[in-house]
Amino acid sequence: MKTKIFLILLIFILPAGFPQAIASSEIYKYVDEDGNITFTNRRIPNAEKISIASFSRNTKSSQSKPSSNLNLPRVTDTTQKDRDVMRREILQKELVAEAKLFSETQNFLNEIRNKPEFKNNSQEKAVQLQNKLLLHQRNVAALKKELNR
């Protein structure tokens, strides 16, 4: 009879204390000799105890400053336009270079595939070229997308 009462009390009391046990647990940051960082709730020798509140995105210090009071550097409209023009020229040069590399890789891949000895020893090379071709194709698409902004 006593064990039944004990078990019933345990069933009702244990879940009530669970959130407090989780919330009050301590977090430790451990950096090993290779530079790997481990976060754990277990105490490890040479581990640093950290505060979870310090990792919150909604801290009072970040909310207390309105965006108009930020001391960010400002540039003039002409300076920004010059930068935009320069950026666009760089992107266009990159697009031309990537399109050329795409074309050259595609031509080289077609040459290898048309050779009679392709089936014997050039299949691995063809796979590498096909991967390179896809990379150039993605780069060209990304550059075109960026230029269309």
Side-chain angles (χ1 to χ4, degrees), residues 48-61:
E48 172 189 357
K49 183 178 174 183
I50 60 170
S51 170
I52 296 175
S54 66
F55 290 102
S56 174
R57 290 184 183 188
N58 298 326
T59 60
K60 289 182 181 179
S61 62

Side-chain angles (χ1 to χ4, degrees), residues 27-114:
I27 303 295
Y28 297 94
K29 177 182 175 184
Y30 174 71
V31 181
D32 65 7
E33 61 273 354
D34 294 329
N36 299 320
I37 300 173
T38 303
F39 291 96
T40 182
N41 60 346
R42 294 186 210 138
R43 185 176 295 242
I44 298 176
N46 300 325
E48 172 189 357
K49 183 178 174 183
I50 60 170
S51 170
I52 296 175
S54 66
F55 290 102
S56 174
R57 290 184 183 188
N58 298 326
T59 60
K60 289 182 181 179
S61 62
S62 66
Q63 290 178 348
S64 64
K65 291 184 180 181
S67 60
S68 61
N69 290 342
L70 295 176
N71 294 326
L72 298 175
R74 294 279 186 198
V75 295
T76 63
D77 288 341
T78 56
T79 303
Q80 187 60 46
K81 286 179 184 176
D82 291 343
R83 289 178 180 176
D84 290 343
V85 167
M86 186 186 318
R87 177 181 173 273
R88 188 164 191 76
E89 288 173 359
I90 291 170
L91 288 172
Q92 287 174 337
K93 287 178 185 178
E94 287 293 319
L95 179 61
V96 169
E98 277 296 325
K100 182 180 177 188
L101 289 170
F102 176 80
S103 159
E104 290 173 354
T105 305
Q106 192 170 30
N107 290 338
F108 191 59
L109 183 61
N110 290 336
E111 287 176 17
I112 286 179
R113 286 183 175 163
N114 291 332

